[in-house]
């Protein structure tokens, strides 16, 4: 069966066993996952209706008709609407025709679109589609893993090229521009705006790069990633400009060991839960005396979105499984002084866990 037809059939089967009557998707990564169609999300309604039984329908602005016909082909019946008409009347007509009233709604569609649909369908029950879409997307197939690996190799290559350009006197934002230019040479796009955090700024995990000049004695955190054919990568390395102090070396060692310990734990048991894996890394950092300084979860799933299920965090007791792809990114942040984070993308294959990013995790003094 065709890849996308298979995914649609699977979600229809899930809906029938969970009492959802239809899945409503907007122009999001979910639309790409189920159809390969990619459009620009804006104020015009773009709605894919996948009923639990029967044929899916795509309601799209007329301007996307030609593209939709070539991509959606046999998958969807396509209905277009022109700018002079009210697309929510069309949505109402199609959704009312479905048996049942429980609608699973794509997580990241526009709120104004959802509110308009709620107004034209007052009797319907709207629920999050997360339990359907996240479960499917969290199991990557071989081709998806191959694309994630390609994206990870691009991140490795850029990190290698950037390492040689980290110099005292550069502003953080200059280094961001260098990273962006390097990704543009090799990847379709960047998976997010790169983070460059130097010196005391590196104590903030999501620092916004600014005018601070890099100087000798800084730890410089670089966090960035590629998009390749829709799939994301995400890597963080922390370089030292000049010589690291004993305390800097101690912190770096603990973060590196936490990253390695999480991977080893998966080698022993690749169906640990997200919470258990987080705890493994957290224990290493606590034992080194920096427990309160590891101020975020261990990692997040990665795929068509740079952050998606499964999350490696206390409270997520679902076991990881074959096809799960996620980051392992322990960090230690000492307010006003410095920070260290080492982030890799890992995937669980049928032969066990595998790191997709491979750039050296050793301390480098530039
Ligand atoms: Co990252
Ligand atoms: Co990340």
């Amino acid at each position: 069966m065709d890849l996308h037809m298979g995914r649609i059939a699977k979600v229809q089967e899930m809906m029938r066993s969970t009492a959802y009557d239809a899945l409503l998707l907007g122009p999001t990564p979910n639309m790409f996952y189920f159809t390969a169609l990619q459009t620009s999300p804006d104020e015009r309604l773009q709605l894919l209706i996948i009923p639990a039984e029967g044929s899916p329908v795509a309601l799209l602005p007329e301007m996307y008709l030609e593209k939709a016909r070539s991509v959606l082909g046999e998958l969807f019946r396509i209905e277009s609407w022109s700018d002079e008409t009210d697309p929510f009347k069309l949505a109402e007509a199609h959704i009312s025709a479905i048996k049942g009233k429980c609608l699973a709604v794509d997580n990241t569609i526009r709120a104004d679109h959802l509110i308009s649909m709620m107004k034209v369908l007052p009797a319907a029950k709207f629920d999050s589609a997360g339990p359907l879409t996240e479960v499917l997307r969290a199991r990557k197939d071989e081709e998806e893993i191959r694309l994630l690996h390609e994206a990870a190799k691009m991140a490795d290559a850029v990190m290698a090229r950037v390492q040689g350009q980290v110099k005292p006197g550069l502003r953080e934002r200059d280094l961001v521009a260098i990273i962006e230019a390097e990704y543009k040479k090799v990847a379709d796009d960047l998976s997010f705006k790169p983070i460059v955090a130097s010196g005391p700024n590196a104590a903030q995990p999501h620092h916004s790069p600014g005018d601070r000049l890099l100087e000798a004695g800084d730890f410089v955190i670089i966090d960035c990633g590629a998009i390749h054919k829709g799939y994301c990568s995400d890597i963080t390395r922390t370089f030292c400009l000049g010589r690291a102090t004993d305390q800097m070396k101690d912190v770096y060692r603990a973060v590196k060991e936490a990253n390695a310990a999480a991977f080893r734990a998966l080698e022993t048991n690749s169906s640990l839960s997200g919470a258990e894996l987080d705890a493994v890394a957290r224990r290493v950092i606590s034992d080194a005396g920096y427990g309160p300084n590891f101020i975020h979860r261990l990692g997040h799933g990665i795929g068509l979105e740079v952050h998606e299920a499964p999350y490696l965090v206390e409270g997520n007791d679902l076991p990881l499984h074959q096809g799960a792809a996620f980051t392992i990114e322990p960090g230690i942040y000492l307010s006003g002084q410095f920070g260290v984070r080492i982030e890799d993308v890992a995937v669980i294959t049928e032969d066990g866990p595998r790191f997709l990013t491979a750039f050296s995790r050793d301390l480098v003094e530039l």
Side-chain angles (χ1 to χ4, degrees):
M1 198 191 295
D2 166 79
L3 174 70
H4 298 98
M5 234 177 246
R7 288 175 178 169
I8 290 169
K10 243 187 221 167
V11 82
Q12 287 184 311
E13 195 186 306
M14 286 170 78
M15 280 193 268
R16 290 194 293 268
S17 64
T18 50
Y20 287 108
D21 300 304
L23 173 62
L24 307 183
L25 301 177
T28 68
N30 284 325
M31 180 163 99
F32 182 74
Y33 179 78
F34 286 102
T35 69
L37 181 64
Q38 240 176 340
T39 59
S40 315
D42 61 20
E43 75 288 354
R44 290 185 174 97
L45 180 70
Q46 303 175 41
L47 189 66
L48 305 190
I49 305 169
I50 304 178
E53 320 240 10
S55 326
V57 185
L59 311 183
L60 295 165
E62 212 160 19
M63 50 192 283
Y64 284 121
L65 197 54
E66 196 172 319
K67 183 174 191 180
R69 278 194 183 128
S70 70
V71 179
L72 297 179
E74 314 273 275
L75 285 175
F76 280 75
R77 188 150 56 88
I78 301 163
E79 292 242 8
S80 68
W81 57 275
S82 66
D83 282 345
E84 295 73 35
T85 57
D86 180 357
F88 293 98
K89 287 207 174 114
L90 192 62
E92 191 251 315
H94 280 277
I95 297 169
S96 309
I98 294 166
K99 197 162 74 68
K101 294 272 178 294
C102 187
L103 308 173
V105 183
D106 201 339
N107 277 347
T108 56
I109 65 166
R110 292 170 60 115
D112 57 351
H113 289 177
L114 176 58
I115 290 167
S116 296
M117 283 193 284
M118 291 171 109
K119 280 187 181 153
V120 295
L121 294 158
K125 181 171 172 275
F126 292 85
D127 206 347
S128 163
L132 301 172
T133 56
E134 286 174 10
V135 166
L136 288 176
R137 280 176 47 191
R139 271 181 206 276
K140 271 77 176 174
D141 65 21
E142 260 175 52
E143 174 64 6
E144 291 181 287
I145 291 172
R146 196 184 65 76
L147 294 174
L148 284 168
H149 194 196
E150 291 298 313
K153 285 194 278 194
M154 290 169 184
D156 282 342
V158 168
M159 196 59 88
R161 308 235 345 154
V162 169
Q163 179 184 333
Q165 301 177 68
V166 181
K167 300 255 157 61
L170 277 181
R171 296 175 306 168
E172 290 174 343
R173 62 168 84 233
D174 298 329
L175 200 47
V176 169
I178 290 170
I179 296 166
E180 287 174 331
E182 292 292 348
Y183 273 106
K184 277 168 193 165
K185 288 182 206 163
V186 296
D188 293 338
D189 206 346
L190 290 93
S191 53
F192 59 94
K193 182 107 186 143
I195 295 170
V196 171
S198 65
N201 291 342
Q204 300 168 48
H206 276 186
H207 169 67
S208 301
D211 291 329
R212 185 180 182 277
L213 301 176
L214 309 191
E215 54 184 70
D218 282 353
F219 263 145
V220 182
I221 293 181
I222 296 178
D223 186 349
C224 53
I227 299 181
H228 173 62
K229 298 189 174 166
Y231 285 83
C232 298
S233 58
D234 188 3
I235 188 172
T236 306
R237 290 295 182 266
T238 305
F239 300 112
C240 187
L241 266 184
R243 311 294 292 178
T245 63
D246 287 346
Q247 191 198 18
M248 288 164 84
K249 285 181 185 163
D250 189 47
V251 166
Y252 193 95
R253 202 180 303 117
V255 174
K256 186 182 160 192
E257 177 50 26
N259 175 298
F263 188 77
R264 281 199 308 271
L266 281 175
E267 286 183 310
T268 311
N269 176 4
S270 59
S271 50
L272 289 175
S273 70
E276 286 167 329
L277 199 56
D278 177 272
V280 168
R282 207 162 291 281
R283 198 168 313 124
V284 172
I285 287 176
S286 298
D287 289 351
Y290 299 103
N293 305 99
F294 180 14
I295 53 177
H296 53 71
R297 65 189 176 206
L298 179 62
H300 51 84
I302 186 164
L304 292 174
E305 285 169 284
V306 68
H307 287 189
E308 59 180 50
Y311 295 96
L312 309 184
V313 64
E314 188 181 318
N316 179 8
D317 298 319
L318 296 173
L320 295 165
H321 48 68
Q322 199 182 311
F326 47 85
T327 65
I328 294 177
E329 50 179 306
I332 293 176
Y333 308 92
L334 301 181
S335 181
Q337 297 180 68
F338 60 82
V340 174
R341 179 165 67 257
I342 302 175
E343 173 177 30
D344 289 287
V345 176
V347 62
I348 300 177
T349 70
E350 55 185 353
D351 307 319
R354 182 174 162 201
F355 270 135
L356 298 183
T357 41
F359 191 89
S360 169
R361 298 170 194 100
D362 294 340
L363 176 60
V364 177
E365 295 173 314
L366 297 170

